[in-house]
Amino acid sequence: MLAETIQKSQIISRFSEVRDYSCSLCEPLETEDYIPQPVPFASPPKWHLAHTTWFFEEMVLKKYNSDYKEFNPHFSFLFNSYYQTIGDRAIRAERGSITRPSIDKVYDYRNYVDHAICKLLESNTTKELHDMITLGINHEQQHQELLITDLKHTLHFNPTWPVYEENYDLTDDKNRKDSWIKIDSGIYEIGYKGDGFCFDNELGRHRVFLDSFEVSEALVTNGEYLDFVQDGGYKNFKYWLDEGWSWVINENIHQPLYWKQIDGKWYQYTLAGLKPLKPDAIVTHISFYEAQAYSTWKKRRLLTEFEWEIASDHIPWGQRWEWTYSAYLPYPNFKIADGAVGEYNGKFMINQMVLRGASSATSPGHSRASYRNFFHPQHRWQYTGIRLAK
Amino acid sequence: MLAETIQKSQIISRFSEVRDYSCSLCEPLETEDYIPQPVPFASPPKWHLAHTTWFFEEMVLKKYNSDYKEFNPHFSFLFNSYYQTIGDRAIRAERGSITRPSIDKVYDYRNYVDHAICKLLESNTTKELHDMITLGINHEQQHQELLITDLKHTLHFNPTWPVYEENYDLTDDKNRKDSWIKIDSGIYEIGYKGDGFCFDNELGRHRVFLDSFEVSEALVTNGEYLDFVQDGGYKNFKYWLDEGWSWVINENIHQPLYWKQIDGKWYQYTLAGLKPLKPDAIVTHISFYEAQAYSTWKKRRLLTEFEWEIASDHIPWGQRWEWTYSAYLPYPNFKIADGAVGEYNGKFMINQMVLRGASSATSPGHSRASYRNFFHPQHRWQYTGIRLAK
Amino acid sequence: MLAETIQKSQIISRFSEVRDYSCSLCEPLETEDYIPQPVPFASPPKWHLAHTTWFFEEMVLKKYNSDYKEFNPHFSFLFNSYYQTIGDRAIRAERGSITRPSIDKVYDYRNYVDHAICKLLESNTTKELHDMITLGINHEQQHQELLITDLKHTLHFNPTWPVYEENYDLTDDKNRKDSWIKIDSGIYEIGYKGDGFCFDNELGRHRVFLDSFEVSEALVTNGEYLDFVQDGGYKNFKYWLDEGWSWVINENIHQPLYWKQIDGKWYQYTLAGLKPLKPDAIVTHISFYEAQAYSTWKKRRLLTEFEWEIASDHIPWGQRWEWTYSAYLPYPNFKIADGAVGEYNGKFMINQMVLRGASSATSPGHSRASYRNFFHPQHRWQYTGIRLAK
Amino acid sequence: MLAETIQKSQIISRFSEVRDYSCSLCEPLETEDYIPQPVPFASPPKWHLAHTTWFFEEMVLKKYNSDYKEFNPHFSFLFNSYYQTIGDRAIRAERGSITRPSIDKVYDYRNYVDHAICKLLESNTTKELHDMITLGINHEQQHQELLITDLKHTLHFNPTWPVYEENYDLTDDKNRKDSWIKIDSGIYEIGYKGDGFCFDNELGRHRVFLDSFEVSEALVTNGEYLDFVQDGGYKNFKYWLDEGWSWVINENIHQPLYWKQIDGKWYQYTLAGLKPLKPDAIVTHISFYEAQAYSTWKKRRLLTEFEWEIASDHIPWGQRWEWTYSAYLPYPNFKIADGAVGEYNGKFMINQMVLRGASSATSPGHSRASYRNFFHPQHRWQYTGIRLAK
């Protein structure tokens, strides 16, 4: 009974903490910043705030509280993330067109739902409910990271280089060590182990055989990457995958996203505004194509996600998502959950590459060695970096 | 001296009146409404408010006031309408991504410039300055109409059918007369005549020969147009121009823009929200392709812009822009002004059709019989309608 | 009776002459040349040969000869030019994919239909039949010109610069006179007059009022146009219509179609292969956008189609199609014929500009002062040139 | 000495046999069939015949025969498969526009090069030369399969359903067994083993750990797949990957490529013409998306390429390429050869899925258990099928 009370108070407190963190991320914003969606793959802050709330309303309150009165019937339609028919899909690229409800109403919506969730958690202490709340918390944390990276992407379209927060984005990697760690060959276990939360795509723990390999303790820096740029890395077909080269040519790519060369000097757009490029900082906003081309130029290679997971005990990580040369595919015995929750991860297991680690934008308490992040090889608006192997 | 004083006070008062009217159009807006640009051809309210101000700063204050201190050097770049190089063009489709300056700053900008203009008009009473102010006033009026039509277009993407103003958009044509007016053949003069303001494309007054024709006193109504829809007008190739039919097929067009059929009943999105379709109201948001197809189905034809201008003395007009079957081409002896002002109208004399008249969204005092409006034949987010001839 | 015999023999002889001329145009071809269609707007020689035959089979033999046995039921589908539904449209861009029937079979088809037509003309001497045969002859002549211009366009994709005929395309304008002809103002009659053949779009003869103007006796030469190129004509926005400039930028246009600069020297692809550019030859393969930009740079203007028609008595013409600054629109009282024949010209009266005159590729006996040719403003694979007015 | 003579005669005979086989595949063609390229991903027969010859001229004769006189200097440009700059890439989609050289000249080219190769092989018996000839032979065999599948794709655009050969494509799987084979868990070796020829992507033989699994002895049939179609498989989002569903919707996919439903009955376009669908034949022309959706509907899964390679000893295979749920990625220790030969396989290791097995169109002697074929998940013009695992 006491244990239950403690657990109840813990989940309420965790829930509130994560929900509040979303709002705190938006403190530096002006109302106008909540709205635009310049590209289909990134969503506006208003949408992130509302959609994460929708999850709790739709997946929790409507299911576990029979007295629950919907905040606004339109919201269920407006803030659902994922529809299967054409008409509704159009909505996805049009999130930035939806001015009403205003952001004030969205904050009201958050308060209303938060209150209802906390009240529900007081009375219902089943594992089923707690699991769903935990999924919602983790879902919200994923959107917290997207909120920051999407926002950065939107703000960079503004030629006046808006500042989100004066001290954001300016880390330097002072303690980096330039050594190689050797991992022995053998049969290893891969996938989430433990009784905490993990996503379905981490399950199906299984054995893989790995040959021995060496992994760099440090991530590639801006300075090292600049050598590649200045050595003509973006002009020489031979370093690139065929589709990577098409991307370079068709999209007119000459440097990492957010790098600018002005009067011969290099700058980098950060959430603290436009800043001179720091050579010792970790290079970031790199596509898989760029990571692969850099590694070829450097006569090294990227790790597989399995190598990374095994190496993770021996290397510092968590500053940048690290591209692996593994495609995002189901683990053996991967199982898709029934219903809407099951549409979550398995649907995307094609044409995407796995990233491991975490980044400075990852929410506190949301990292694990078994976490499988994934993006298309051309995308680079996340905080993505490069770790080499040999 | 007295005359000058009167004229001075008249232009200041006209300037202030038109500038205030822009702001009054925005009173019903929420901050969020000022931002989005879902389609490249329509601009956000914030941009209209800032760009019209930019015109006075760039074309007037910087030229006629050597002491003028720019409000913000970024604005000259952000709110220019028209650039000739590729990089800058991209900006056009990205107006909706620019969240900063906030709308409050834009209103500050307006006040700052308005104050400077009024002060300038106190001391400088040259015809050259007055002409440029007059051009700026007319330019702002054009953007007032676009502000409303662009806003309507943006709001209609919202499936909750936002209301701009409860009483907007609901006119009914009670006094319409169903008669035909006959115009005799002869040589007529076309183009602006008088000493007021007109745009360069109305000049080069010249003679045309017209055969006699008959023109409908009334515009086509929703009810009449619905007959066309229900007679399979959108399903029968034979009424349509070849490119009009491609448009119908490729864009999946089945009815006028903003018409919706819900459970067998017809509705129309208006700035007062979604309303039942009124059969006696004038049909609007019609593309040239639809106007032409309707006229073919009805065994009538559209007027030329020359016929319209001559007929305009004999028909009521001003409720809806009326598509003519005249391409937007230079009048004989059309002259392009030097410099940026000259880039205004002549640049667009290809692939567009002329509309004559005015609409309910046209600003007060901005209509003339010689006014040449023009849009591409597929566009229909303006208040456009159909008048038949035979 | 004798008159009828003479007329009968005349039409048979005219029919045979025009049909043979199509075949003679193909004599220099290899079998492979009959097939490709690299761009949707140009058709392969095989298709032209078959489609013109289809016209006689479908519009004449099936209607006027009840005993007629179709050559091959598939051909009616394969070689129809124009369908109103989506599925069939796709066919248009896929003419180059249709390898069967082989070209031998198409020649058999031609012989079969020619024989049947001649036989029919022996027995049926009605005006209705003669009119339809005449329409078919003129239709075939239009396709003869397209056959040559489409072929040139296809061959120019081949980096080995294939030769169609050693002496084709190499005319020089030796006798050009550099003078201006003045035309007085007045009311003029426009449109076809006479009792010969004309297309429906030339009818509706009507009066127009023209101000006086001066027209150049000569067309613009390669050398004159080269001055425009070398003066930065393709790099300066101010000479171009807005959509013309977009075309220049998006399509990466730097010179007329078929011009090549190799090692600093200018060449021109002709049907006789790649040849050094002749400065005194008439410039050709010019889009409307280029013609308009050139005239602006030269501080002249293009003629309207009405001015051209009136001036045509006083100037030499027929070497190149001449862009006018008139949109292709219906004449007053333009009437669309019933049925499939009526789908011919009126359907295209939007977004196209009128060309007047004729070119070296126009078939013998197919030119008239009232002839209205029309193309979209960006197209330039026809033999198009520039005549200036002031 | 004798061994060398035998080996020399063997390689000459193998070379001649494979080269002749390419020509024999083209025997049923008409000249016209050699030309078109309706889609960028498929090439015309003429190009396949010339490009495979170019390989021997460029990679062998120019390198190993200092006296060699090029057949035609243009051909080196025209028939190269792969360029790294934009300009030349355009050429890829324009292979179907190149009418000259005629096909007769291409056969002359083949004879000329074959003769020179055979002569070279008489005098030069180095392993280096033999290896390069062997690579050229295998390269030609790959193009033989593409020649057939590309041709089928081109012919199917023709609504008259051309016949390539009366008896092609009509196999039925009479002896199929409906049983499941069990494979034990363990560490297995993957990759080519032996001293014959293999491609670079099969090398880097390495160990993998596999859990036990069961594999179907038979491939899925038309009849079984039709059950999926008739159960609404193409209408239900839940069976499909997210990008697979977008493909179904955007490309309007309702059944396998080449299936047609006419008057309620199912047909299949084959190289023998349009034929009634055979329920017992193996289903083919399936995309990865379809294979994956079918397996989900069937509550089974696809094999990984590693499972397939280990299972290949226990199942009949070679009738259809089998999609695996493995992305095409480098094996550990994959090494890219230097120079142009090295651009072969590694460049494509992104966004493609591995197929294992072989098909009826695979050339004799060109199959191996370790062979890694690969295509994008939406492609289905190859003879691709489905094998299930559980």
Side-chain angles (χ1 to χ4, degrees), chain B residues 176 218-222 224-225 281-284 294 386-388:
Chain B
R176 68 192 298 274
L219 297 177
V220 172
T221 62
N222 281 335
E224 290 171 322
Y225 198 86
I282 296 166
V283 72
T284 190
Y294 177 84
I386 312 172
R387 187 187 300 276
L388 298 177

Side-chain angles (χ1 to χ4, degrees), chain C residues 57 68-71 108-116:
Chain C
E57 184 176 63
Y68 178 70
K69 194 171 157 288
E70 215 178 2
F71 180 75
D108 290 349
Y109 178 42
R110 287 185 71 89
N111 289 335
Y112 179 89
V113 165
D114 285 359
H115 186 74

Side-chain angles (χ1 to χ4, degrees), chain B residues 307-325:
Chain B
E307 290 172 336
W308 192 96
E309 189 165 327
I310 299 313
S312 66
D313 284 347
H314 311 286
I315 52 174
W317 60 269
Q319 294 176 294
R320 290 286 176 261
W321 288 107
E322 306 176 20
W323 285 109
T324 71
Y325 210 143

Side-chain angles (χ1 to χ4, degrees), chain B residues 67-299:
Chain B
D67 295 336
Y68 179 71
K69 198 172 154 287
E70 216 178 359
F71 179 75
N72 181 325
H74 286 316
F75 287 21
S76 152
F77 176 77
L78 284 176
F79 300 123
N80 191 340
S81 64
Y82 196 62
Y83 282 100
Q84 299 88 335
T85 60
I86 317 171
D88 297 327
R89 282 211 169 219
I91 295 298
R92 170 154 202 182
E94 287 165 11
R95 287 173 185 165
S97 313
I98 305 302
T99 62
R100 321 276 180 99
S102 67
I103 185 63
D104 286 348
K105 290 276 189 324
V106 168
Y107 278 116
D108 290 348
Y109 178 43
R110 289 184 70 89
N111 290 336
Y112 179 88
V113 165
D114 285 359
H115 187 74
I117 289 280
C118 289
K119 215 169 139 193
L120 177 66
L121 282 170
E122 290 291 343
S123 59
N124 179 334
T125 56
T126 60
K127 183 174 183 310
E128 189 184 330
L129 175 64
H130 281 205
D131 282 356
M132 196 52 90
I133 295 287
T134 303
L135 181 59
I137 287 171
N138 279 274
H139 173 252
E140 180 131 4
Q141 290 180 307
Q142 291 187 309
H143 279 277
Q144 287 165 355
E145 180 154 7
L146 290 171
L147 192 153
I148 290 299
T149 51
D150 292 359
L151 177 71
K152 183 172 181 179
H153 197 256
T154 294
L155 293 179
H156 107 280
F157 283 99
N158 193 322
T160 67
W161 311 119
V163 173
Y164 164 73
E165 225 179 47
E166 287 298 347
N167 299 310
Y168 205 99
D169 244 349
L170 292 168
T171 46
D172 216 338
D173 191 14
K174 299 253 147 93
N175 306 312
R176 68 192 298 274
K177 285 192 230 141
D178 220 4
S179 55
W180 294 89
I181 312 287
K182 184 162 183 209
I183 309 290
D184 291 333
S185 73
I187 294 184
Y188 291 96
E189 295 222 333
I190 293 293
Y192 182 72
K193 187 183 178 180
D195 49 10
F197 173 83
C198 77
F199 285 108
D200 55 357
N201 61 12
E202 302 167 56
L203 291 174
R205 187 162 164 91
H206 63 287
R207 286 166 284 179
V208 301
F209 181 88
L210 296 182
D211 278 318
S212 72
F213 63 99
E214 289 179 73
V215 53
S216 167
E217 205 169 336
L219 297 177
V220 172
T221 62
N222 281 335
E224 290 171 322
Y225 198 86
L226 188 56
D227 290 344
F228 170 64
V229 175
Q230 289 173 341
D231 193 41
Y234 286 84
K235 289 173 192 155
N236 194 329
F237 169 79
K238 77 177 176 183
Y239 307 126
W240 298 82
L241 291 169
D242 182 56
E243 296 189 11
W245 185 246
S246 297
W247 174 77
V248 163
I249 296 299
N250 296 336
E251 305 290 316
N252 210 15
I253 306 287
H254 301 294
Q255 67 264 324
L257 184 62
Y258 304 140
W259 285 27
K260 314 275 159 195
Q261 201 175 17
I262 303 171
D263 298 334
K265 291 185 67 180
W266 284 98
Y267 296 82
Q268 189 173 19
Y269 176 63
T270 76
L271 282 169
L274 193 71
K275 302 286 176 183
L277 189 72
K278 291 189 160 190
D280 291 336
I282 296 166
V283 72
T284 190
H285 297 300
I286 290 291
S287 71
F288 173 81
Y289 292 131
E290 288 166 306
Q292 186 279 337
Y294 177 84
S295 74
T296 300
W297 172 79
K298 197 74 178 179
K299 298 202 170 72

